[in-house]
Amino acid sequence: MSHFIEVGEKTNVFVEDIGRGKPVIFLHGWPVNHKMFEHQMSVLPEKGFRFIGIDLRGYGNSDKPLHGYDYDTMADDVRKVIDQLKLEDAVLAGFSMGGAIAVRYMARHEGKGISKLALLGAAAPVFTERDDFAHGIPKDNVNGLIDGAYADRANMLVDFGSLFFGKDPSEAYNRWFHGLAMEAGPHATIFSARTLRDADLRDDLSSIHVPTAILHGRNDEVCPFELAEILERGIEKSTLIPFEESGHSLFHDEWEKFNEELVRFISE
């Protein structure tokens, strides 16, 4: 079943809703959409869980307004989906930028409807280096992505893909994944990258009080593994699960382990 849920004036987000049972809400990363969770979309419903994949505003089949690409607004969008679908006792699973939005949701909305949190290669608590944070990637790297999106977004995404995957995908998979990124609005891609570059979620971590699984690739060149270690120290009831053979794309590089760990966590 698919839904278009109104989250603001003249703005609807697309939600893929498959299966029955405990709901697992997936928030995708920059700059793709819910289809990145293809392995989970096919496996979780077979195991008795309800897959709910949200296309964030600006991405996939959702509307692409000019504004609203800050974490507060996107977390508010998630709240409206949860309220509209009357979700309770759900698992919130956020990848990369989606992980950052999940952290902001837990703080801003006091974890409404969420009983467990999964942070997957999360771009949190801070994505870029700054004077009081020596981790993350240089801000100039993100500025390069933004400049590339203005000049030749398709080519910029090819270059980004070379950092994204820890294990080379097939040519067919690579083309498909690139196509997901090109479904985003160009302005959404740019404005969300600015949020990734500038946001600071360190103060949000103490607001998370549910069991939290932190899945992260050891060889992640987009969100360095140190970010996962900082999340584990900052979130009570959290467990860090390293993926020794993965880059940023742990859902692809070690997809079977990814599913096993996610199902184990959901089932506990």
Side-chain angles (χ1 to χ4, degrees):
M1 180 183 299
S2 300
H3 313 276
F4 282 97
I5 294 177
E6 184 175 347
V7 296
E9 185 179 357
K10 298 181 180 179
T11 300
N12 296 284
V13 298
F14 176 82
V15 181
E16 193 73 80
D17 187 350
I18 303 171
R20 304 175 69 178
K22 187 178 186 69
V24 187
I25 306 163
F26 287 89
L27 306 180
H28 62 80
W30 181 91
V32 288
N33 56 59
H34 84 277
K35 294 175 187 174
M36 65 160 284
F37 296 110
E38 177 165 278
H39 290 305
Q40 293 68 56
M41 203 183 310
S42 57
V43 170
L44 290 185
E46 291 182 348
K47 294 186 176 294
F49 303 109
R50 182 179 173 188
F51 174 94
I52 297 174
I54 302 174
D55 281 351
L56 300 167
R57 63 168 60 212
Y59 296 89
N61 292 324
S62 290
D63 288 341
K64 300 169 175 63
L66 181 60
H67 303 293
Y69 300 99
D70 57 280
Y71 289 155
D72 283 354
T73 301
M74 289 191 280
D76 292 350
D77 292 349
V78 173
R79 172 64 185 270
K80 285 166 184 165
V81 170
I82 288 172
D83 287 348
Q84 182 68 30
L85 297 182
K86 297 180 172 59
L87 301 177
E88 298 179 350
D89 190 31
V91 177
L92 183 60
F95 171 75
S96 196
M97 180 181 75
I101 295 167
V103 168
R104 175 51 50 88
Y105 176 85
M106 298 301 292
R108 183 172 172 84
H109 294 284
E110 301 179 335
K112 172 69 165 58
I114 304 302
S115 59
K116 292 183 178 180
L117 176 67
L119 299 176
L120 319 169
V126 183
F127 184 54
T128 54
E129 299 171 346
R130 51 204 68 195
D131 290 343
D132 64 344
F133 193 79
H135 311 282
I137 64 173
K139 286 191 174 184
D140 282 347
N141 289 19
V142 183
N143 291 334
L145 295 174
I146 293 169
D147 291 343
Y150 276 115
D152 186 341
R153 183 166 61 109
N155 191 62
M156 177 275 289
L157 292 169
V158 170
D159 292 341
F160 180 66
S162 68
L163 297 174
F164 194 91
F165 292 101
K167 294 182 179 179
D168 289 338
S170 68
E171 183 178 343
Y173 186 97
N174 212 18
R175 286 197 305 269
W176 171 76
F177 202 77
H178 183 270
L180 300 187
M182 289 302 294
E183 291 178 20
H187 56 294
T189 302
I190 291 166
F191 298 160
S192 298
R194 291 175 181 162
T195 298
L196 275 164
R197 180 192 64 195
D198 297 337
D200 187 340
L201 303 174
R202 283 177 284 184
D203 289 342
D204 292 24
L205 301 185
S206 61
S207 300
I208 300 173
H209 304 296
V210 300
T212 301
I214 302 166
L215 283 61
H216 212 105
R218 284 276 189 193
N219 305 314
D220 196 329
E221 295 185 64
V222 177
C223 297
F225 188 76
E226 290 80 10
L227 297 185
E229 295 174 321
I230 293 167
L231 288 172
E232 183 186 31
R233 291 195 295 270
I235 300 174
E236 64 174 351
K237 302 181 184 177
S238 66
T239 302
L240 174 56
I241 304 167
F243 281 64
E244 302 293 342
E245 301 177 12
S246 290
H248 193 45
S249 57
L250 66 167
F251 62 91
H252 165 271
D253 299 339
E254 296 180 78
W255 70 269
E256 290 175 308
K257 178 182 176 180
F258 184 91
N259 278 349
E260 289 169 3
E261 295 291 355
L262 194 58
V263 168
R264 181 180 295 113
F265 175 65
I266 296 168
S267 303
E268 289 173 346

